[in-house]
């Protein structure tokens, strides 16, 4: 079989030149020796800061902060030599009064392209020595857009850069009559498709089936960390060779990705265009094809064979009946007695931090009442009145719960809670008639202790039963209530 390749290559170059107007350029920053070749600068900036008061790590992040630091007398006092050099650079580009004439409009947040040739300032602490080196700027640790820098432009358009990271001055080289140009190069490769006659070819087919079991044991591994262990085994493999007819033949398609680039071309620039060609098939390659398929089934188990639960939150809804203690008066002529049980409901949400501890917040609907034979206005003598301290009270509490048992099936738990009971309504009734006198109860602190058992059918759903001792400290118009409620509840649990 014989193949022919034909490639069409076209490149379009567009350039824009720029130049600064005449500047004083007395500083070595603006002087270039045509006999010196640029040194490739790839180390990180900031090892030899020239103007520390302009470094990004010292808080210079905006043009306004740049101006503030320059005008600050503390900068001149702390860095007298450095500031003198910086002030001379300002005068070189046209600021007659030096830093005093520098304004916000003269500072621009800009970039210096990677690979730009120019003079870079530095400070050598050992000598000490302030000087400049001719470099191809390509420092490590900078962004993709280039080296971030402040561009300081004088009244006549003359400028130089202060690099953000190190606070050093930088000036790009403009030799041979400002020969540097900004070039945009576009490379296009027209794809070429070649085909041949059909042919029978061998096809190697290989199919592997794996089973992976993820074990959770709860024990620390050799590296000291907890985590799952995975056991992978090959359960079936198919390896065969068949023949297929390639009706098109060994077709070849040669193509390349279009490339558009912008870069600076100067005296020391070497530009090489190396488009990457991609071919579907190469001359001399084998005529056979191979197809490999691997599939893995993952099973999760605990060390005891059970599937572990990894839920983070639990919502519980409980309902039942509640009995409460009755107050005692220091008066033998007034009697009190219990009012029986009342419905109670609780909604709670908690964060599961570990299999044995979780914490959250709860709100409970609970009624507190008792009976007395006080002669309230409108009451019937010789009968008991029903005093509703809270109809209802809603305790809102933070709680912590300790659990004994695994995440599945039976577990027992102990909870401690504390919070504030919100008073909604109170009243006094006599034989079904509401009296005008009210207890005048206010909200107060509350705390509770709960014992419970739960049974989880799965990692998500379960049922629970609990017994709670809830203490209330609520003040009223005539007395302070220190009551204890004893709710008995059943409920559902949902984890996610």
């Amino acid at each position: 079989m014989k193949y022919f390749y034909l490639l069409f290559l076209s490149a379009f170059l567009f350039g824009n030149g720029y130049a600064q107007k005449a500047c004083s350029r007395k500083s070595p920053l603006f002087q270039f020796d045509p006999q010196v070749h640029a040194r490739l600068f790839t180390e990180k900036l900031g090892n030899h800061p020239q103007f520390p008061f302009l470094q990004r790590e010292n808080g210079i992040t905006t043009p306004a902060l740049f101006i503030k630091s320059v005008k600050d007398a503390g900068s001149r006092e702390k860095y007298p030599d450095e500031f003198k050099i910086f002030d001379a650079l300002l005068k070189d580009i046209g600021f007659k009064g030096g830093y005093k004439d520098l304004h916000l409009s003269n500072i621009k947040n800009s970039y210096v392209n990677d690979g730009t040739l120019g003079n870079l300032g530095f400070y050598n602490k050992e000598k000490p020595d302030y000087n400049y080196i001719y470099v191809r700027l390509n420092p490590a640790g900078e962004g993709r857009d280039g080296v971030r820098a402040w561009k300081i432009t004088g009244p006549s358009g003359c400028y130089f850069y202060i690099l953000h990271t190190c606070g050093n001055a930088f000036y790009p080289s403009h030799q041979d009559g400002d020969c540097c140009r900004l070039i945009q190069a576009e490379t296009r490769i027209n794809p070429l498709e070649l085909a041949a006659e059909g042919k029978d070819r061998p096809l190697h087919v290989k199919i592997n089936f794996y089973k992976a079991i993820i074990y959770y044991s709860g024990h620390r591994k050799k590296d000291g960390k907890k985590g799952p262990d995975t056991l992978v085994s090959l359960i079936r493999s198919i390896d065969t060779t068949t023949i297929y007819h390639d009706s098109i033949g060994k077709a070849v398609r040669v193509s390349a990705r279009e490339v558009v680039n912008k870069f600076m071309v100067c005296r020391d620039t070497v530009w090489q265009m190396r488009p990457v060609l991609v071919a579907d098939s190469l001359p001399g390659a084998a005529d056979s094809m191979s197809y490999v398929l691997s599939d893995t089934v993952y099973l999760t188990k605990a060390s005891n064979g059970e599937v572990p639960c990894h839920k983070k939150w639990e919502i519980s809804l409980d309902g039942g009946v509640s009995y409460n203690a009755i107050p005692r008066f220091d008066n033998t002529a007034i009697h009190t007695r219990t009012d029986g049980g009342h419905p109670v409901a609780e909604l709670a949400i908690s964060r599961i931090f570990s299999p044995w501890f979780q914490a959250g917040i709860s709100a409970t609907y609970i009624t507190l009442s008792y009976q007395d034979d006080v002669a309230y206005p409108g009451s019937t003598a010789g009968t008991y009145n029903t005093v509703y301290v809270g109809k209802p009270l809603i305790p809102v509490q933070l709680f912590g719960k300790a659990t004994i048992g695994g995440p599945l099936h039976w577990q027992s738990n102990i909870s401690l809670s504390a919070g504030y009971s919100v008073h909604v309504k109170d009243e006094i009734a006599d034989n079904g008639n509401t009296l005008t006198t009210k207890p005048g109860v206010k909200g107060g602190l509350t705390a509770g202790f709960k014992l419970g058992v739960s049974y989880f059918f799965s990692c998500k759903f379960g049922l629970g039963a609990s017994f709670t001792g809830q203490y209330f400290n609520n003040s009223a118009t005539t007395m302070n209530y220190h009551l204890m409620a004893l709710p008995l509840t059943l409920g559902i649990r949902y984890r996610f």
Side-chain angles (χ1 to χ4, degrees):
M1 181 181 290
K2 187 175 181 180
Y3 300 95
F4 300 96
Y5 298 91
L6 180 60
L7 301 179
F8 298 96
L9 175 64
S10 58
F12 303 93
L13 306 179
F14 304 91
N16 293 309
Y18 63 90
Q20 295 194 53
K21 297 182 180 179
C23 303
S24 174
R25 299 184 180 179
K26 295 179 181 179
S27 170
L29 174 65
F30 307 103
Q31 309 299 322
F32 298 96
D33 186 349
Q35 304 302 323
V36 176
H37 290 279
R39 164 194 162 190
L40 180 60
F41 187 90
T42 58
E43 61 187 84
K44 284 189 175 182
L45 296 172
N47 296 326
H48 303 282
Q50 186 180 17
F51 306 123
F53 56 93
L54 299 178
Q55 273 188 278
R56 180 174 57 197
E57 69 176 30
N58 291 328
I60 308 304
T61 57
T62 65
L65 294 173
F66 187 99
I67 292 294
K68 181 179 179 181
S69 180
V70 170
K71 299 296 179 72
D72 187 3
S75 298
R76 299 191 296 275
E77 294 175 0
K78 188 175 180 179
Y79 305 101
D81 295 334
E82 294 90 331
F83 198 91
K84 183 178 179 181
I85 295 174
F86 176 72
D87 193 51
L89 293 178
L90 294 177
K91 292 178 181 179
D92 269 2
I93 63 172
F95 293 102
K96 294 182 180 181
Y99 74 93
K100 298 178 181 178
D101 294 343
L102 188 63
H103 299 288
L104 192 62
S105 60
N106 304 119
I107 309 299
K108 179 182 178 182
N109 197 353
S110 184
Y111 292 89
V112 177
N113 292 329
D114 287 343
T116 300
L117 300 174
N119 283 337
L120 174 65
F122 71 92
Y123 170 60
N124 191 344
K125 296 181 180 180
E126 298 177 357
K127 293 188 178 181
D129 179 31
Y130 293 92
N131 212 330
Y132 300 90
I133 53 175
Y134 184 46
V135 299
R136 180 184 295 276
L137 193 62
N138 192 20
E142 298 296 324
R144 290 176 127 188
D145 296 330
V147 183
R148 299 195 63 157
W150 303 109
K151 185 176 182 180
I152 306 175
T153 306
S156 60
C158 303
Y159 69 89
F160 65 90
Y161 294 99
I162 296 294
L163 304 186
H164 283 201
T165 305
C166 59
N168 292 14
F170 180 80
Y171 181 69
S173 62
H174 299 280
Q175 303 180 50
D176 301 328
D178 292 341
C179 68
C180 289
R181 294 293 184 270
L182 183 63
I183 299 298
Q184 175 172 299
E186 182 176 359
T187 303
R188 296 178 181 175
I189 304 296
N190 294 331
L192 178 65
E193 296 185 7
L194 301 173
E197 58 186 14
K199 183 181 180 181
D200 289 336
R201 304 182 188 281
L203 173 62
H204 179 209
V205 180
K206 187 175 183 180
I207 303 176
N208 297 321
F209 294 97
Y210 295 91
K211 179 176 69 174
I213 302 178
I214 304 175
Y215 289 96
Y216 286 85
S217 62
H219 299 292
R220 296 186 180 274
K221 297 192 292 185
K222 293 182 179 180
D223 57 1
K225 298 180 180 179
K226 289 185 177 180
D229 292 321
T230 304
L231 176 63
V232 181
S233 60
L234 178 64
I235 58 178
R236 188 178 181 187
S237 178
I238 300 174
D239 194 336
T240 184
T241 300
T242 185
I243 301 296
Y244 78 100
H245 182 73
D246 184 1
S247 60
I248 300 177
K250 194 172 182 181
V252 177
R253 176 184 174 89
V254 181
S255 60
R257 183 172 60 89
E258 294 184 2
V259 179
V260 178
N261 247 329
K262 287 184 178 180
F263 48 89
M264 189 74 68
V265 177
C266 295
R267 179 177 65 90
D268 292 340
T269 300
V270 177
W271 177 33
Q272 293 182 338
M273 297 182 63
R274 296 182 178 179
V276 179
L277 302 180
V278 179
D280 293 343
S281 180
L282 298 177
D287 288 341
S288 63
M289 294 185 63
S290 62
Y291 177 80
V292 179
L293 171 65
S294 296
D295 191 15
T296 305
V297 177
Y298 288 90
L299 303 176
T300 304
K301 292 185 179 181
S303 59
N304 57 4
E306 297 181 348
V307 177
C309 298
H310 297 285
K311 307 302 180 184
K312 297 298 183 182
W313 294 92
E314 179 180 298
I315 296 177
S316 61
L317 180 61
D318 294 273
V321 63
S322 173
Y323 300 88
N324 62 268
I326 58 176
R328 302 292 183 183
F329 298 106
D330 295 330
N331 190 332
T332 58
I334 299 175
H335 308 91
T336 59
R337 67 184 184 184
T338 182
D339 191 40
H342 294 281
V344 63
E346 181 186 65
L347 175 65
I349 182 170
S350 58
R351 176 72 161 83
I352 303 173
F353 294 97
S354 69
W356 62 269
F357 178 75
Q358 59 195 85
I361 187 171
S362 65
T364 308
Y365 180 99
I366 189 170
T367 299
L368 298 182
S369 67
Y370 66 93
Q371 296 182 6
D372 66 17
D373 57 359
V374 177
Y376 298 106
S379 64
T380 303
T383 63
Y384 274 87
N385 310 291
T386 302
V387 181
Y388 291 97
V389 178
K391 192 181 181 181
L393 282 178
I394 301 179
V396 179
Q397 304 177 89
L398 298 176
F399 68 88
K401 181 165 69 174
T403 300
I404 301 173
L408 290 177
H409 309 310
W410 288 104
Q411 59 178 229
S412 58
N413 48 70
I414 301 174
S415 301
L416 294 176
S417 61
Y420 188 82
S421 61
V422 180
H423 171 260
V424 178
K425 182 181 178 181
D426 60 355
E427 63 180 32
I428 301 176
D430 177 66
N431 294 321
N433 299 319
T434 302
L435 305 181
T436 57
T437 304
K438 292 183 178 294
V441 179
K442 300 178 182 178
L445 299 177
T446 182
F449 174 79
K450 181 186 290 187
L451 298 175
V453 293
S454 300
Y455 185 86
F456 278 88
F457 303 95
S458 66
C459 291
K460 289 186 176 181
F461 295 99
L463 298 177
S466 62
F467 167 76
T468 307
Q470 190 70 39
Y471 172 76
F472 294 91
N473 182 13
N474 298 85
S475 61
T477 303
T478 57
M479 66 179 295
N480 290 332
Y481 288 102
H482 302 280
L483 298 180
M484 177 68 73
L486 303 174
L488 298 172
T489 59
L490 295 174
I492 59 175
R493 309 287 184 263
Y494 175 71
R495 290 178 171 179
F496 59 96

